[in-house]
C-alpha cells in the first residue's frame, strides 16, 4: 500500500487540530475524533478494494526475439475484480534491451481480459531473462495505491532478425511477393533449362535453331534457355575486428557483422525456398565455421543455430617470427632435443601438439612449430636452451649457424 496525496490532504486538518491544543484543551478531543474518522475511512477503503489475487497475469512473447527488430511483448491480465480497475503495468525486461514504453496503462472491466503491449528492440545477440511483473491500481476511495508483484521470470534468446523472414514466408504463401517489390527475374543465357520458342534472329547461334519447330511453322524458330535453378550458394562472412564497428541507424546502432548475418539468413532462406543449396562459412584469422551446402528448410535452421550457439568473435592480430624451417629442422638435429620443450610449461603444450609427443599423430608438425615460435616467452626459452646445449658433431660453426637462422618480423599480422 502506497499513501496518495488525497490521504495526506485528509491528515493535514488533523495536524492543525493537534497544533490547536496549545490554545484550548478541547481541541485535543476534536483532533482525536477527526483522526478516528480518517482511520475508519482508510480501513473501509482497504476492505472494499479488491485484493491483488483477483488478477491473473501472464506474459506472452516469442522464445526467440529478433535482433534489431521491434518484438512485441503482450501482458495478458484476467480480472475477477468487482469493479473496473485502471492499471499501471511495469514489466521487468532486461536493462540492455531498449523498450518503447516503460509503464503501460490500461482499463480492465470486471471479469474481462486486458492486453497490454509494448515492444523490445534488442541490439545484441545472446541469452536474456525477464523478471517479474509489477501492477499498481487505485483504491475505491483513493486513499492509497495497491501495488503487487507477480512472478513471471522467463528466459529467452536474441537471434538474428527472423521477423523479416517470417514476413517473406507469409507473403510467399499468399502469393503477394510483388508487394515487397520482388519480381521473378528470368536470366536467359547459356543454361540448359528450356524456357520458350521464338523466331530466329540474325544474331542467334545456329545451334539454337529448333528444326522440328522450324519444319512445323515453315520459318526459322530458335529455342531459348535459362540458367539452372539448382545452384550451390555459399555465404562467406568476415568476422574480423573491423566488422565489430557499429553502424548508426535512425534510432538504433548495430554492428556491421549483425547486418551481414541478417542478410545472409534472409538470402539463405530464399535460396532454400527456391530449391537451391545454401551453405555458410565464417572466418577471421582462420576458418571459424563451415556448413556444407544443402537444400531444404532444415539447412536454414542449422545455419541459424550455428550462428547462435557458436557466436562469431573478432580475430586477434599477433606478432610472429618468420623462421627458416629447413634450418630449424637442422638445429633440432644438431641439439638432439626438441627445442620447444625446453623448461617452460607454457611452451610444453604447444610443443607436444607440434611434435606429436602426446601419443597422437600430428597433422602438421611444421605449422605447430611456427605457432610455438610466435610466443616470445617460448622463443626466449628456446634461445637459452640453444646456448645451454652444445652442438654434437657439428662444431661451433654449426651451432652459430642454427642460432642465427631465425629472423624476427615485427609488426607482421598472423
Amino acid at each position: 500500500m502506497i499513501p496518495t496525496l488525497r490521504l495526506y490532504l485528509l491528515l493535514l486538518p488533523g495536524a492543525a487540530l493537534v497544533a490547536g491544543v496549545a490554545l484550548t484543551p478541547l481541541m485535543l478531543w476534536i483532533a482525536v475524533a477527526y483522526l478516528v474518522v480518517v482511520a475508519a475511512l482508510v480501513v473501509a477503503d482497504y476492505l472494499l478494494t479488491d485484493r491483488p489475487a483477483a488478477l491473473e497475469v501472464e506474459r506472452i512473447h516469442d522464445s526467440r526475439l529478433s535482433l534489431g527488430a521491434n518484438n512485441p511483448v503482450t501482458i495478458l491480465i484476467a480480472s475477477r475484480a468487482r469493479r473496473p480497475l485502471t492499471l499501471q503495468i511495469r514489466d521487468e525486461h532486461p536493462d540492455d534491451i531498449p523498450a518503447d514504453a516503460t509503464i503501460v496503462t490500461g482499463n480492465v472491466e470486471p471479469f474481462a481480459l486486458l492486453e497490454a503491449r509494448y515492444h523490445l528492440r534488442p541490439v545484441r545477440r545472446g541469452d536474456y531473462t525477464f523478471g517479474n511483473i509489477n501492477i499498481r491500481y487505485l483504491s475505491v476511495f483513493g486513499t492509497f495505491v495497491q501495488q503487487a508483484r507477480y512472478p513471471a521470470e522467463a528466459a529467452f534468446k536474441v537471434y538474428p532478425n527472423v521477423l523479416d523472414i517470417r514476413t517473406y514466408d507469409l507473403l510467399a504463401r499468399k502469393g503477394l511477393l510483388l508487394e515487397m517489390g520482388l519480381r521473378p527475374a528470368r536470366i536467359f543465357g547459356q543454361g540448359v533449362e528450356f524456357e520458350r520458342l521464338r523466331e530466329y534472329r540474325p544474331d542467334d547461334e545456329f545451334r539454337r535453331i529448333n528444326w522440328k519447330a522450324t519444319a512445323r511453322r515453315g520459318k526459322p524458330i530458335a529455342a531459348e534457355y535459362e540458367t539452372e535453378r539448382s545452384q550451390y550458394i555459399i555465404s562467406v562472412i568476415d568476422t574480423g575486428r573491423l566488422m565489430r564497428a557499429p553502424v548508426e541507424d535512425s534510432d538504433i546502432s548495430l554492428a556491421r557483422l549483425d547486418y551481414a548475418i541478417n542478410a545472409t539468413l534472409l538470402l539463405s532462406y530464399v535460396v532454400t525456398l527456391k530449391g537451391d543449396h545454401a551453405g555458410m562459412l565464417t572466418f577471421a584469422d582462420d576458418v571459424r565455421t563451415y556448413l556444407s551446402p544443402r537444400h531444404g528448410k532444415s539447412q536454414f535452421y542449422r545455419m541459424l543455430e550455428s550462428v547462435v550457439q557458436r557466436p562469431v568473435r573478432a580475430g586477434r592480430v599477433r606478432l610472429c617470427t618468420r623462421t627458416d624451417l629447413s634450418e630449424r629442422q637442422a638445429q633440432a638435429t644438431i641439439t638432439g632435443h626438441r627445442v620447444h620443450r625446453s623448461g617452460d610449461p607454457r611452451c610444453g603444450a604447444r610443443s607436444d601438439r607440434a611434435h606429436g609427443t602426446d601419443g597422437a599423430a600430428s597433422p602438421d608438425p611444421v605449422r605447430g612449430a611456427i605457432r610455438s615460435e610466435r610466443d616470445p616467452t617460448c622463443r626466449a626459452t628456446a634461445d637459452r636452451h640453444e646456448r645451454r646445449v652444445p652442438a654434437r658433431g657439428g662444431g661451433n660453426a654449426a651451432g652459430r649457424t642454427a642460432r642465427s637462422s631465425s629472423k624476427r618480423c615485427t609488426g607482421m599480422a598472423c
Side-chain angles (χ1 to χ4, degrees):
M1 292 173 48
I2 302 175
T4 61
L5 180 60
R6 179 177 298 180
L7 181 59
Y8 289 124
L9 293 177
L10 289 175
L11 293 177
L12 186 59
L17 292 175
V18 172
V21 175
L23 300 177
T24 173
L26 184 60
M27 299 297 294
L28 177 61
W29 298 102
I30 298 176
V32 171
Y34 181 80
L35 293 178
V36 170
V37 173
V38 173
L41 179 63
V42 173
V43 172
D45 194 11
Y46 177 77
L47 295 177
L48 294 176
T49 302
D50 294 287
R51 303 279 80 80
L55 300 178
E56 295 182 359
V57 182
E58 181 184 1
R59 183 193 298 111
I60 300 176
H61 63 90
D62 292 335
S63 59
R64 303 172 180 176
L65 301 188
S66 296
L67 181 70
N70 289 324
N71 300 269
V73 179
T74 303
I75 306 297
L76 186 63
I77 301 175
S79 173
R80 298 194 306 270
R82 295 167 293 182
R83 66 181 184 90
L85 299 177
T86 301
L87 305 179
Q88 292 182 346
I89 308 164
R90 183 184 183 276
D91 191 8
E92 297 178 358
H93 60 81
D95 296 334
D96 299 338
I97 302 179
D100 59 355
T102 304
I103 298 178
V104 184
T105 60
N107 298 322
V108 56
E109 298 294 330
F111 303 97
L113 293 177
L114 172 64
E115 292 186 3
R117 181 171 298 175
Y118 68 97
H119 296 83
L120 294 178
R121 195 170 186 183
V123 295
R124 286 185 179 87
R125 292 174 281 115
D127 298 333
Y128 297 90
T129 303
F130 278 110
N132 300 321
I133 300 176
N134 301 277
I135 295 180
R136 289 181 180 181
Y137 56 91
L138 193 64
S139 62
V140 175
F141 297 142
T143 59
F144 64 91
V145 173
Q146 185 71 52
Q147 177 174 324
R149 174 175 294 180
Y150 298 88
E153 296 183 355
F156 66 96
K157 295 183 177 181
V158 174
Y159 276 45
N161 194 346
V162 295
L163 290 181
D164 292 342
I165 299 175
R166 293 179 184 175
T167 303
Y168 176 87
D169 185 63
L170 181 61
L171 293 178
R173 292 176 183 273
K174 293 183 178 181
L176 300 176
L177 291 179
L178 293 179
E179 294 185 359
M180 294 183 63
L182 300 179
R183 294 175 174 79
R186 297 181 177 180
I187 304 175
F188 304 107
Q190 301 297 326
V192 296
E193 293 187 3
F194 176 79
E195 173 60 22
R196 62 175 179 173
L197 294 174
R198 60 172 175 81
E199 293 186 3
Y200 177 79
R201 298 173 184 172
D203 55 346
D204 289 338
E205 299 179 356
F206 290 109
R207 61 177 181 175
R208 297 296 182 186
I209 298 177
N210 190 311
W211 297 107
K212 293 183 179 180
T214 300
R216 288 195 301 266
R217 299 187 182 183
K219 57 182 178 180
I221 300 296
E224 272 192 353
Y225 299 88
E226 62 178 356
T227 56
E228 297 81 2
R229 293 294 183 183
S230 184
Q231 301 289 339
Y232 286 78
I233 301 174
I234 299 179
S235 300
V236 181
I237 305 177
D238 181 6
T239 62
R241 293 179 297 108
L242 296 179
M243 295 296 289
R244 294 293 182 180
V247 177
E248 297 294 338
D249 201 349
S250 58
D251 55 349
I252 197 171
S253 176
L254 295 179
R256 295 179 180 177
L257 181 59
D258 294 325
Y259 283 107
I261 292 176
N262 292 341
T264 297
L265 292 178
L266 181 57
L267 174 63
S268 301
Y269 186 82
V270 176
V271 166
T272 55
L273 192 62
K274 297 300 182 181
D276 295 329
H277 296 69
M280 185 179 67
L281 183 145
T282 63
F283 72 96
D285 52 350
D286 55 1
V287 176
R288 302 297 177 86
T289 305
Y290 175 71
L291 291 177
S292 58
R294 296 181 182 179
H295 63 85
K297 288 188 177 180
S298 59
Q299 175 67 0
F300 168 76
Y301 292 114
R302 277 191 291 266
M303 297 173 64
L304 183 61
E305 293 297 332
S306 175
V307 173
V308 174
Q309 294 180 1
R310 300 178 182 178
V312 289
R313 299 175 182 176
R316 296 177 295 176
V317 176
R318 298 170 292 185
L319 297 179
C320 70
T321 57
R322 182 178 298 170
T323 308
D324 188 351
L325 297 180
S326 60
E327 293 183 0
R328 294 296 293 176
Q329 293 175 354
Q331 174 186 350
T333 304
I334 293 173
T335 58
H337 296 273
R338 291 181 176 89
V339 176
H340 301 293
R341 288 182 54 85
S342 52
D344 196 328
R346 289 173 293 180
C347 308
R350 293 190 206 60
S351 60
D352 291 342
R353 291 193 299 268
H355 297 281
T357 58
D358 55 351
S362 175
D364 194 351
V366 175
R367 188 175 181 180
I370 294 177
R371 290 197 185 98
S372 299
E373 282 296 317
R374 293 174 180 173
D375 195 332
T377 306
C378 299
R379 177 170 176 76
T381 309
D383 292 340
R384 290 196 302 269
H385 182 74
E386 292 169 5
R387 290 193 296 268
R388 185 169 60 252
V389 179
R392 294 182 297 179
N396 294 331
R400 288 193 299 270
T401 303
R403 285 192 295 271
S404 60
S405 60
S406 60
K407 300 179 180 179
R408 185 175 302 274
C409 58
T410 59
M412 178 178 178
C414 300

